[in-house]
Amino acid sequence: MHQQRRVSLAGSNERGLDSEVQLDRTAFEPTAPSSSHHRRLGHLHEAQNAHVELASDHLAADRHGELHVVDSEPLFSGRLFELIVHLYYACIHSPPMQGELVMTVTAGTPIELVEGVYATLPERVAAGRERFGRPLTLTEKILLNHLYDPAQAIERGGTYNDFHPDRVAMQDATAQMALLQFMTAGLPTTLVPSTVHCDHLISAKVGAKIDLGVAIDTNREVYDFLRSVSAKYGIGFWGPGSGIIHQVVLEHYAFPGGMMIGTDSHTPNAGGLGMVAIGVGGADAVDVMTGFPFNVRWPKVIGVKLTGALSGWSSPKDVILEVARVLTVEGGTGAIVEYYGSGADTISATGKATICNMGAEIGATCSVFGYDDNLAQYLKATGREAIADAADKVAEHLRPDDGAVYDQIIEIDLDALKPLINGPHSPDRANRIGAAVGAEARANDWPLDISAALIGSCTNSSYEDITRAASIARQASARGLTVKTPLLVSPGSEQIRATIERDGLIADLEAIGATVLANACGPCIGQWDRPADANNKPNTIVNSFNRNFPKRNDGSALTLSFVTSPDTVVALALSGQLDFDPSIDTITAPDGTEVVLNAPMGEVLPSQGYDPGKDTFTAPPVDGSGVSVEVSPTSDRLQLLEAFTPWDGQDYHALPVLMKAQGKCTTDHISAAGKWLKYRGHLENISGNLFLGAVNAYNQADGSEYPVGVGKDTLGGADDTYPNLAKKYSEAGVRWVAIGDRNYGEGSSREHAAMEPRFRGGVVIITRSFARIHETNLKKQGLVPLTFADPATYDLVGQDDRINVLDLPPVPGRNVRCQIVKPDGSTVDFEGVHTFSPEQVEWFRAGSALNVVRKKVADAAG
Ligand code: MIC
Ligand code: SF4
């Protein structure tokens, strides 16, 4: 029996939950309840549960005498009880305790949940083939099987559709805001299995042990908050030291054919195990945790056909570096990238996860691989034989159909794929390793000397990755070589750390001079405390991470970051030079001989099995209702949220331009990480970083460029930083607009990049284009994201101009009428393209999506 959670429903309708319940002996028909919910009864269809009987509208008993809460009524049709029974399933012990539901939240995905998903898969796939009249992609199969209402209209890249994800995962830097929002919704528990992972707030300075201890101390208040909120609302809690969210999810929760959302843009990592796993802002997570569907545009499907097999120094990382080269940082926007072909089956599950992980860097909704023997082996090696067995039974539905139709196809011959190194400043800036990147570096004055090398992170810290890296290290130490630059290792999880330690791989890396950091994000997210003399000048770093925006790793804009595979990073660290090509160049050993490094050799899975390491998971208590969640009013780390005000029904007139960004304006530019991560639970304090990284498109009065993050006070004061200006405008009651260039909001899922402008009086953001998650985050917080119908209009917006945004609210299917008002009063008309669906317009009217949720929960509770 899985770990159970009991939730008291004081004062709610306890229909059917009495231990005296008289079972209605009507035979249960799986398809009889409302079509939108029968999927969740799937686990009751299995042969061993043949005698399923309905006890009430909401309860079914299986032949073991266990009652299952089922969901046969549309959400919010009645009282709070209807919300609670919206659980995917909940097993009630026999005899049930009065007034209690039991929800499963464990350190793994229960087989019943997986079987529930698989039970409806064949019929949903068959119906989908019939509906579209053609073979299906894997993406379509998974999405169809998670559709809230199978009758919904579907158009690739067109319709917004509602889905039921199987799980929600949140990391500590985004969970704070997500859970602060959830707390205001008024529910006693989350309604979908959810987990919190403490990984982002740990700084890397000295090494694993000390850094972890310091983090626990400095972040105590936040960890205590997350731990108690998790306990109160039935959320599984992975404490500091457990590892990076995506690695932990891959090891414990992901399963082929599943669907999940996570408050982190690299959630798609789980696509390596055949899951549609989508990165979202916290407000999306709140929707799902409160029982609402997840709403996203039905994606286009980009097919990446892989043939051949990787060899030598080429690795899975090179596949995604190549895809990034081809598609660029916005080429995946609005699409799910599906990998298929004979080459796909030659890549390990963890290698596939690396590829899917970094799909975030091309803006894809997510990426996915089909089920194959590699996935089965990984599931078995991580203790999930039952899931592998269940997947085997529906294997044909967990791969694309022959003849599946893709919107675009990219073909990659793995036999011919050569190692790449992408950067600096943009993950799609691809260079061949060796002479090619050397030539680029010389042309651009990038230092060839490497100042630091880093491996691991959520992207590349599998057992296979570390064995490959260690195989290079062993060759080097056998010849007396050590690294010529600091080499830092971030294990992806406690399980990986324990396993590589047991198998002597950490020792191999330490023998060439590596330092092992905590199982956390650390240097990948600016939590890297480097000595000042390392980065106060232009310097080159190489790493096996995914993102390389300026300031990303150590907060210094002078650091040039290149991403590549872990094996290449280790080889470069041994040579110390960016233009080293390990397949042809040699390194001089201390004895004067030349060392040729042989291509890395990896082991896909540990032959002795994984060592789970320390137990870092805390299941929520049986009854969380008594748990109190403290947020001190004087805290500088946490602040309870106040609802944003609803739209006042008026058009927006004469909005000053607080900021017009030139070039890349990622979420790191809008709301920096690094030292600001500590304010992720305090909206007011974190608003102190608003647009600090943005490059002002205008010049100062004397014609010189503004410093980064500084702009003009159009209300008449002196030039100031954007956060100071925003505060000043909002205190003066002046609403404002911000202007962005292409792919505005690229990168992180952090909704702070949308909440901060909203908190400081921003109402409209107009750009040449948006990154998906950020555009949704803006809508969720009640802002109006618009793109210029004619991208050239961007150039027409002057520093002292005002913007009118008219005929609000946005009408789906119609552009928004806008005007630039010049200082002399003349106007330039332009159209703003928007993507609001009718439902999203309600978010705007209400002031935020959360305001809509709050109202519906309150209405449902009577
Ligand atoms: C990132 O890799 O940029 C982060 C830090 O993990 C972010 C999440 C955050 O900003 O907290 C992401 O990828 O969404
Ligand atoms: Fe953490 Fe970096 Fe992965 Fe983001 S990309 S989850 S910061 S390791």
Side-chain angles (χ1 to χ4, degrees):
M1 178 56 71
H2 297 283
Q3 190 153 359
Q4 306 288 329
R5 177 166 199 274
R6 293 180 182 279
V7 180
S8 296
L9 295 173
S12 67
N13 182 344
E14 287 156 8
R15 180 157 51 119
L17 293 176
D18 191 304
S19 55
E20 301 297 324
V21 64
Q22 290 300 311
L23 295 187
D24 171 352
R25 294 278 158 192
T26 317
F28 171 65
E29 285 293 331
T31 51
S34 83
S35 55
S36 61
H37 295 110
H38 72 265
R39 183 178 76 70
R40 269 176 252 120
L41 309 183
H43 70 290
L44 301 178
H45 303 178
E46 291 296 303
Q48 75 267 28
N49 290 319
H51 308 299
V52 172
E53 295 165 314
L54 271 189
S56 74
D57 282 358
H58 300 294
L59 292 177
D62 67 20
R63 75 172 187 194
H64 308 300
E66 283 181 346
L67 293 177
H68 300 254
V69 174
V70 299
D71 181 8
S72 57
E73 288 189 3
L75 191 54
F76 299 117
S77 61
R79 298 171 55 77
L80 184 62
F81 182 76
E82 262 70 31
L83 276 172
I84 303 303
V85 297
H86 197 65
L87 295 169
Y88 279 83
Y89 63 88
C91 299
I92 296 170
H93 288 298
S94 203
M97 290 169 64
Q98 181 149 4
E100 290 189 338
L101 285 173
V102 183
M103 178 176 169
T104 308
V105 178
T106 63
T109 293
I111 183 64
E112 291 85 349
L113 192 157
V114 178
E115 286 174 343
V117 172
Y118 291 169
T120 50
L121 184 60
E123 92 207 30
R124 287 276 180 118
V125 166
R129 283 193 199 116
E130 199 170 310
R131 174 174 184 170
F132 298 126
R134 56 168 172 75
L136 299 179
T137 60
L138 172 61
T139 299
E140 287 166 325
K141 293 179 183 182
I142 298 175
L143 291 181
L144 285 165
N145 196 33
H146 287 84
L147 256 187
Y148 188 85
D149 174 4
Q152 271 187 344
I154 296 170
E155 188 200 334
R156 273 192 190 179
T159 47
Y160 277 88
N161 292 90
D162 289 338
F163 299 92
H164 281 304
D166 303 309
R167 304 201 67 91
V168 176
M170 293 162 280
Q171 45 90 337
D172 51 2
T174 48
Q176 297 170 59
M177 207 46 97
L179 292 171
L180 282 165
Q181 293 178 80
F182 178 82
M183 282 166 66
T184 71
L187 282 180
T189 184
T190 53
L191 300 184
V192 167
S194 304
T195 48
V196 162
H197 303 258
C198 297
D199 53 2
H200 278 62
L201 301 179
I202 301 168
S203 283
K205 186 170 183 183
V206 187
K209 259 210 185 92
I210 293 177
D211 292 350
L212 184 60
V214 170
I216 290 174
D217 216 36
T218 49
N219 300 318
R220 189 174 303 280
E221 183 185 4
V222 171
Y223 291 147
D224 285 351
F225 168 75
L226 291 174
R227 195 186 301 272
S228 57
V229 184
S230 298
K232 186 166 187 67
Y233 297 110
I235 299 169
F237 180 76
W238 291 85
S242 54
I244 306 171
I245 177 169
H246 312 303
Q247 185 64 32
V248 176
V249 164
L250 194 74
E251 290 167 355
H252 295 268
Y253 296 115
F255 65 94
M259 180 174 185
M260 66 175 286
I261 58 166
T263 59
D264 190 282
S265 67
H266 294 105
T267 302
N269 192 66
L273 261 192
M275 191 166 202
V276 165
I278 301 180
V280 297
D284 270 308
V286 173
D287 281 353
V288 175
M289 291 190 294
T290 49
F292 282 89
F294 168 57
N295 183 267
V296 72
R297 198 188 275 280
W298 191 279
K300 295 195 169 184
V301 190
I302 298 177
V304 180
K305 183 175 179 192
L306 302 177
T307 53
L310 293 163
S311 61
W313 286 88
S314 300
S315 75
K317 186 63 163 276
D318 298 303
V319 175
I320 184 61
L321 295 179
E322 169 67 4
V323 171
R325 183 188 72 76
V326 174
L327 284 177
T328 78
V329 289
E330 39 179 345
T333 309
I336 290 186
V337 181
E338 183 166 311
Y339 292 84
Y340 68 102
S342 57
D345 296 340
T346 66
I347 299 176
S348 65
T350 50
K352 291 176 164 90
T354 294
I355 295 169
C356 293
N357 175 301
M358 212 183 141
E361 271 51 72
I362 52 170
T365 302
C366 69
S367 307
V368 69
F369 276 85
Y371 182 64
D372 67 5
D373 191 51
N374 294 297
L375 272 59
Q377 296 309 325
Y378 183 73
L379 285 168
K380 289 177 186 160
T382 49
R384 291 174 286 174
E385 295 81 358
I387 295 183
D389 291 346
D392 282 342
K393 292 191 195 127
V394 289
E396 62 176 303
H397 303 304
L398 298 173
R399 292 174 67 90
D401 290 340
D402 288 340
V405 180
Y406 296 97
D407 295 281
Q408 180 183 352
I409 292 182
I410 297 169
E411 298 198 24
I412 298 178
D413 175 4
L414 301 179
D415 288 329
L417 187 65
K418 295 275 181 269
L420 294 167
I421 182 162
N422 288 18
H425 299 330
S426 195
D428 55 350
R429 189 166 187 178
N431 310 285
R432 276 274 180 83
I433 62 165
V437 69
E440 272 286 294
R442 282 183 201 93
N444 289 286
D445 279 339
W446 303 331
L448 284 171
D449 286 341
I450 297 172
S451 67
L454 308 97
I455 61 171
S457 90
C458 67
T459 327
N460 267 124
S461 59
S462 64
Y463 190 76
E464 187 179 22
D465 287 333
I466 303 296
T467 47
R468 280 172 67 100
S471 78
I472 307 296
R474 281 193 299 273
Q475 295 177 45
S477 50
R479 302 289 296 275
L481 286 172
T482 52
V483 285
K484 301 211 170 47
T485 181
L487 173 62
L488 308 176
V489 185
S490 300
S493 70
E494 168 60 7
Q495 176 160 289
I496 283 289
R497 187 211 56 77
T499 309
I500 61 176
E501 180 167 58
R502 180 200 64 196
D503 293 353
L505 306 172
I506 288 188
D508 290 338
L509 292 166
E510 284 175 341
I512 57 165
T515 302
V516 178
L517 303 174
N519 314 322
C521 302
C524 181
I525 188 53
Q527 295 274 57
W528 182 18
D529 201 345
R530 288 180 90 184
D533 61 350
N535 60 8
N536 59 6
K537 53 183 178 291
N539 72 100
T540 292
I541 64 169
V542 291
N543 60 68
S544 71
F545 306 162
N546 42 29
R547 235 162 232 168
N548 53 6
F549 307 141
K551 296 193 185 181
R552 163 99 185 163
N553 303 102
D554 59 2
S556 167
L558 299 172
T559 297
L560 308 170
S561 168
F562 293 82
V563 296
T564 184
S565 70
D567 356 303
T568 302
V569 170
V570 173
L572 296 184
L574 288 164
S575 86
Q577 293 298 301
L578 180 65
D579 58 351
F580 179 71
D581 181 346
S583 64
I584 48 176
D585 297 333
T586 58
I587 307 173
T588 311
D591 63 5
T593 57
E594 291 301 309
V595 180
V596 179
L597 294 174
N598 294 323
M601 300 281 289
E603 280 168 67
V604 171
L605 297 167
S607 54
Q608 296 179 58
Y610 283 102
D611 177 342
K614 296 185 198 82
D615 184 3
T616 49
F617 177 73
T618 310
V622 163
D623 178 357
S625 61
V627 176
S628 68
V629 177
E630 305 292 335
V631 174
S632 158
T634 57
S635 168
D636 73 337
R637 303 268 324 242
L638 297 164
Q639 183 184 46
L640 293 175
L641 289 173
E642 279 177 30
F644 290 134
T645 47
W647 176 54
D648 62 8
Q650 304 298 311
D651 286 346
Y652 294 142
H653 285 280
L655 302 174
V657 180
L658 175 82
M659 187 279 302
K660 177 172 167 182
Q662 182 179 315
K664 238 191 212 314
C665 193
T666 71
T667 40
D668 280 322
H669 295 75
I670 304 169
S671 173
K675 63 178 186 179
W676 289 95
L677 280 173
K678 65 173 178 287
Y679 296 128
R680 284 293 187 85
H682 197 295
L683 183 54
E684 188 174 347
N685 284 350
I686 199 158
S687 296
N689 75 1
L690 178 61
F691 297 134
L692 271 183
V695 176
N696 194 331
Y698 304 119
N699 283 340
Q700 307 194 62
D702 64 4
S704 63
E705 287 174 7
Y706 277 101
V708 171
V710 172
K712 175 174 175 173
D713 181 354
T714 58
L715 302 186
D719 292 348
D720 208 340
T721 63
Y722 288 127
N724 285 347
L725 292 175
K727 184 161 184 273
K728 181 176 175 190
Y729 288 15
S730 93
E731 282 169 0
V734 175
R735 296 181 296 195
W736 48 266
V737 62
I739 308 290
D741 208 323
R742 295 193 66 85
N743 210 23
Y744 178 88
E746 172 184 346
S748 164
S749 64
R750 64 191 74 142
E751 62 195 328
H752 308 76
M755 294 179 89
E756 292 174 35
R758 177 74 165 97
F759 177 68
R760 290 298 189 206
V763 283
V764 181
I765 312 284
I766 316 178
T767 69
R768 281 181 158 140
S769 63
F770 284 101
R772 172 190 62 90
I773 303 178
H774 185 62
E775 184 183 16
T776 305
N777 285 346
L778 289 168
K779 291 190 227 171
K780 287 262 174 197
Q781 301 302 338
L783 285 111
V784 182
L786 299 174
T787 51
F788 295 108
D790 175 2
T793 311
Y794 167 92
D795 295 318
L796 304 182
V797 182
Q799 182 158 228
D800 298 309
D801 296 352
R802 301 286 172 130
I803 305 288
N804 294 338
V805 181
L806 307 169
D807 304 336
L808 291 171
V811 179
R814 205 167 76 201
N815 290 345
V816 174
R817 192 161 67 86
C818 305
Q819 289 176 322
I820 301 171
V821 185
K822 295 286 170 190
D824 66 4
S826 63
T827 56
V828 180
D829 291 341
F830 70 97
E831 295 207 339
V833 180
H834 72 88
T835 57
F836 280 88
S837 65
E839 186 197 15
Q840 293 171 346
V841 173
E842 295 314 309
W843 306 345
F844 167 73
R845 285 181 188 279
S848 72
L850 184 59
N851 289 350
V852 175
V853 170
R854 276 195 197 111
K855 180 163 184 320
K856 287 199 180 167
V857 171
D859 290 352

